[in-house]
mmCIF file of all heavy atoms in Angstrom:
data_model
loop_
_atom_site.group_PDB
_atom_site.id
_atom_site.type_symbol
_atom_site.label_atom_id
_atom_site.label_comp_id
_atom_site.label_asym_id
_atom_site.label_seq_id
_atom_site.Cartn_x
_atom_site.Cartn_y
_atom_site.Cartn_z
ATOM 1 N N THR A 14 18.343 -5.257 -18.265
ATOM 2 C CA THR A 14 19.359 -4.310 -17.835
ATOM 3 C C THR A 14 19.257 -2.988 -18.573
ATOM 4 O O THR A 14 19.828 -1.994 -18.147
ATOM 5 C CB THR A 14 20.760 -4.904 -18.042
ATOM 6 O OG1 THR A 14 20.852 -5.443 -19.372
ATOM 7 C CG2 THR A 14 21.026 -6.015 -17.059
ATOM 8 N N THR A 15 18.542 -2.923 -19.685
ATOM 9 C CA THR A 15 18.389 -1.666 -20.396
ATOM 10 C C THR A 15 17.209 -0.862 -19.863
ATOM 11 O O THR A 15 17.017 0.274 -20.261
ATOM 12 C CB THR A 15 18.162 -1.904 -21.898
ATOM 13 O OG1 THR A 15 16.899 -2.570 -22.083
ATOM 14 C CG2 THR A 15 19.259 -2.738 -22.494
ATOM 15 N N LEU A 16 16.425 -1.428 -18.952
ATOM 16 C CA LEU A 16 15.209 -0.780 -18.498
ATOM 17 C C LEU A 16 15.315 -0.211 -17.092
ATOM 18 O O LEU A 16 14.607 0.716 -16.747
ATOM 19 C CB LEU A 16 14.041 -1.781 -18.534
ATOM 20 C CG LEU A 16 13.672 -2.343 -19.903
ATOM 21 C CD1 LEU A 16 12.534 -3.338 -19.750
ATOM 22 C CD2 LEU A 16 13.274 -1.242 -20.865
ATOM 23 N N TRP A 17 16.179 -0.743 -16.267
ATOM 24 C CA TRP A 17 16.257 -0.306 -14.876
ATOM 25 C C TRP A 17 17.628 0.247 -14.555
ATOM 26 O O TRP A 17 18.640 -0.185 -15.095
ATOM 27 C CB TRP A 17 15.931 -1.472 -13.943
ATOM 28 C CG TRP A 17 14.464 -1.603 -13.794
ATOM 29 C CD1 TRP A 17 13.669 -1.025 -12.843
ATOM 30 C CD2 TRP A 17 13.586 -2.319 -14.658
ATOM 31 N NE1 TRP A 17 12.357 -1.347 -13.069
ATOM 32 C CE2 TRP A 17 12.278 -2.137 -14.170
ATOM 33 C CE3 TRP A 17 13.775 -3.079 -15.797
ATOM 34 C CZ2 TRP A 17 11.168 -2.693 -14.772
ATOM 35 C CZ3 TRP A 17 12.678 -3.640 -16.414
ATOM 36 C CH2 TRP A 17 11.391 -3.443 -15.899
ATOM 37 N N PRO A 18 17.697 1.226 -13.655
ATOM 38 C CA PRO A 18 18.981 1.851 -13.347
ATOM 39 C C PRO A 18 19.980 0.869 -12.765
ATOM 40 O O PRO A 18 19.619 -0.065 -12.052
ATOM 41 C CB PRO A 18 18.611 2.937 -12.331
ATOM 42 C CG PRO A 18 17.205 2.727 -11.955
ATOM 43 C CD PRO A 18 16.579 1.789 -12.922
ATOM 44 N N ASP A 19 21.235 1.111 -13.063
ATOM 45 C CA ASP A 19 22.288 0.222 -12.584
ATOM 46 C C ASP A 19 22.398 0.227 -11.063
ATOM 47 O O ASP A 19 22.979 -0.685 -10.484
ATOM 48 C CB ASP A 19 23.641 0.633 -13.188
ATOM 49 C CG ASP A 19 23.692 0.372 -14.681
ATOM 50 O OD1 ASP A 19 22.925 -0.483 -15.152
ATOM 51 O OD2 ASP A 19 24.500 1.026 -15.365
ATOM 52 N N GLN A 20 21.848 1.262 -10.403
ATOM 53 C CA GLN A 20 21.998 1.350 -8.964
ATOM 54 C C GLN A 20 21.253 0.233 -8.240
ATOM 55 O O GLN A 20 21.552 -0.075 -7.096
ATOM 56 C CB GLN A 20 21.496 2.701 -8.468
ATOM 57 C CG GLN A 20 20.023 2.954 -8.742
ATOM 58 C CD GLN A 20 19.628 4.381 -8.415
ATOM 59 O OE1 GLN A 20 20.463 5.188 -8.062
ATOM 60 N NE2 GLN A 20 18.349 4.683 -8.517
ATOM 61 N N ILE A 21 20.273 -0.394 -8.885
ATOM 62 C CA ILE A 21 19.559 -1.504 -8.243
ATOM 63 C C ILE A 21 20.369 -2.777 -8.481
ATOM 64 O O ILE A 21 20.059 -3.583 -9.342
ATOM 65 C CB ILE A 21 18.128 -1.638 -8.780
ATOM 66 C CG1 ILE A 21 17.378 -0.321 -8.624
ATOM 67 C CG2 ILE A 21 17.385 -2.735 -8.039
ATOM 68 C CD1 ILE A 21 15.965 -0.345 -9.151
ATOM 69 N N GLN A 22 21.438 -2.905 -7.738
ATOM 70 C CA GLN A 22 22.347 -4.026 -7.905
ATOM 71 C C GLN A 22 22.352 -4.967 -6.705
ATOM 72 O O GLN A 22 22.784 -6.094 -6.817
ATOM 73 C CB GLN A 22 23.782 -3.525 -8.148
ATOM 74 C CG GLN A 22 23.965 -2.749 -9.435
ATOM 75 C CD GLN A 22 23.943 -3.637 -10.666
ATOM 76 O OE1 GLN A 22 23.958 -4.863 -10.566
ATOM 77 N NE2 GLN A 22 23.892 -3.017 -11.832
ATOM 78 N N GLU A 23 21.877 -4.471 -5.563
ATOM 79 C CA GLU A 23 21.934 -5.254 -4.338
ATOM 80 C C GLU A 23 20.562 -5.310 -3.683
ATOM 81 O O GLU A 23 19.759 -4.383 -3.800
ATOM 82 C CB GLU A 23 22.944 -4.650 -3.356
ATOM 83 C CG GLU A 23 24.365 -4.564 -3.891
ATOM 84 C CD GLU A 23 24.971 -5.936 -4.158
ATOM 85 O OE1 GLU A 23 24.507 -6.918 -3.528
ATOM 86 O OE2 GLU A 23 25.898 -6.022 -4.974
ATOM 87 N N PHE A 24 20.320 -6.385 -2.975
ATOM 88 C CA PHE A 24 19.030 -6.585 -2.324
ATOM 89 C C PHE A 24 18.717 -5.460 -1.351
ATOM 90 O O PHE A 24 17.575 -4.990 -1.268
ATOM 91 C CB PHE A 24 19.028 -7.931 -1.602
ATOM 92 C CG PHE A 24 17.720 -8.257 -0.934
ATOM 93 C CD1 PHE A 24 16.690 -8.857 -1.645
ATOM 94 C CD2 PHE A 24 17.511 -7.964 0.409
ATOM 95 C CE1 PHE A 24 15.480 -9.157 -1.033
ATOM 96 C CE2 PHE A 24 16.309 -8.258 1.026
ATOM 97 C CZ PHE A 24 15.297 -8.857 0.303
ATOM 98 N N ASP A 25 19.706 -4.999 -0.610
ATOM 99 C CA ASP A 25 19.466 -3.989 0.410
ATOM 100 C C ASP A 25 19.053 -2.647 -0.170
ATOM 101 O O ASP A 25 18.570 -1.784 0.569
ATOM 102 C CB ASP A 25 20.716 -3.812 1.280
ATOM 103 C CG ASP A 25 20.934 -4.982 2.224
ATOM 104 O OD1 ASP A 25 19.963 -5.718 2.472
ATOM 105 O OD2 ASP A 25 22.065 -5.170 2.695
ATOM 106 N N TYR A 26 19.249 -2.438 -1.463
ATOM 107 C CA TYR A 26 18.829 -1.181 -2.059
ATOM 108 C C TYR A 26 17.308 -1.084 -2.161
ATOM 109 O O TYR A 26 16.745 0.003 -2.185
ATOM 110 C CB TYR A 26 19.458 -0.998 -3.441
ATOM 111 C CG TYR A 26 19.164 0.362 -4.026
ATOM 112 C CD1 TYR A 26 19.932 1.461 -3.683
ATOM 113 C CD2 TYR A 26 18.095 0.559 -4.894
ATOM 114 C CE1 TYR A 26 19.648 2.721 -4.184
ATOM 115 C CE2 TYR A 26 17.797 1.816 -5.403
ATOM 116 C CZ TYR A 26 18.585 2.891 -5.045
ATOM 117 O OH TYR A 26 18.291 4.135 -5.539
ATOM 118 N N LEU A 27 16.633 -2.237 -2.204
ATOM 119 C CA LEU A 27 15.182 -2.234 -2.293
ATOM 120 C C LEU A 27 14.584 -1.814 -0.956
ATOM 121 O O LEU A 27 14.970 -2.318 0.101
ATOM 122 C CB LEU A 27 14.679 -3.640 -2.655
ATOM 123 C CG LEU A 27 15.149 -4.194 -4.003
ATOM 124 C CD1 LEU A 27 14.760 -5.662 -4.119
ATOM 125 C CD2 LEU A 27 14.556 -3.395 -5.153
ATOM 126 N N LEU A 28 13.647 -0.882 -1.008
ATOM 127 C CA LEU A 28 13.004 -0.408 0.217
ATOM 128 C C LEU A 28 11.794 -1.282 0.510
ATOM 129 O O LEU A 28 10.692 -1.038 0.021
ATOM 130 C CB LEU A 28 12.593 1.059 0.060
ATOM 131 C CG LEU A 28 13.742 2.061 0.102
ATOM 132 C CD1 LEU A 28 13.234 3.465 -0.186
ATOM 133 C CD2 LEU A 28 14.452 2.025 1.438
ATOM 134 N N LEU A 29 12.026 -2.304 1.306
ATOM 135 C CA LEU A 29 10.989 -3.277 1.606
ATOM 136 C C LEU A 29 10.746 -3.321 3.105
ATOM 137 O O LEU A 29 11.696 -3.326 3.890
ATOM 138 C CB LEU A 29 11.399 -4.673 1.120
ATOM 139 C CG LEU A 29 11.697 -4.808 -0.376
ATOM 140 C CD1 LEU A 29 12.351 -6.159 -0.654
ATOM 141 C CD2 LEU A 29 10.423 -4.657 -1.180
ATOM 142 N N ILE A 30 9.493 -3.378 3.503
ATOM 143 C CA ILE A 30 9.188 -3.559 4.921
ATOM 144 C C ILE A 30 9.603 -4.962 5.342
ATOM 145 O O ILE A 30 9.785 -5.852 4.510
ATOM 146 C CB ILE A 30 7.706 -3.311 5.214
ATOM 147 C CG1 ILE A 30 6.838 -4.311 4.442
ATOM 148 C CG2 ILE A 30 7.311 -1.879 4.907
ATOM 149 C CD1 ILE A 30 5.391 -4.312 4.883
ATOM 150 N N ASP A 31 9.743 -5.158 6.639
ATOM 151 C CA ASP A 31 10.324 -6.390 7.166
ATOM 152 C C ASP A 31 9.546 -7.633 6.742
ATOM 153 O O ASP A 31 10.138 -8.664 6.424
ATOM 154 C CB ASP A 31 10.397 -6.301 8.691
ATOM 155 C CG ASP A 31 11.268 -7.391 9.284
ATOM 156 O OD1 ASP A 31 12.449 -7.476 8.888
ATOM 157 O OD2 ASP A 31 10.775 -8.146 10.141
ATOM 158 N N ARG A 32 8.212 -7.555 6.747
ATOM 159 C CA ARG A 32 7.401 -8.732 6.397
ATOM 160 C C ARG A 32 7.716 -9.231 4.987
ATOM 161 O O ARG A 32 7.888 -10.438 4.768
ATOM 162 C CB ARG A 32 5.914 -8.389 6.502
ATOM 163 C CG ARG A 32 4.978 -9.475 5.963
ATOM 164 C CD ARG A 32 3.526 -9.087 6.118
ATOM 165 N NE ARG A 32 3.192 -7.839 5.446
ATOM 166 C CZ ARG A 32 2.870 -7.768 4.143
ATOM 167 N NH1 ARG A 32 2.841 -8.850 3.393
ATOM 168 N NH2 ARG A 32 2.570 -6.601 3.598
#
Side-chain angles (χ1 to χ4, degrees):
T14 49
T15 66
L16 298 178
W17 276 269
D19 292 337
Q20 62 188 4
I21 305 179
Q22 296 286 351
E23 301 296 336
F24 182 85
D25 287 340
Y26 186 83
L27 298 171
L28 286 175
L29 301 169
I30 61 169
D31 193 57
R32 171 179 58 85

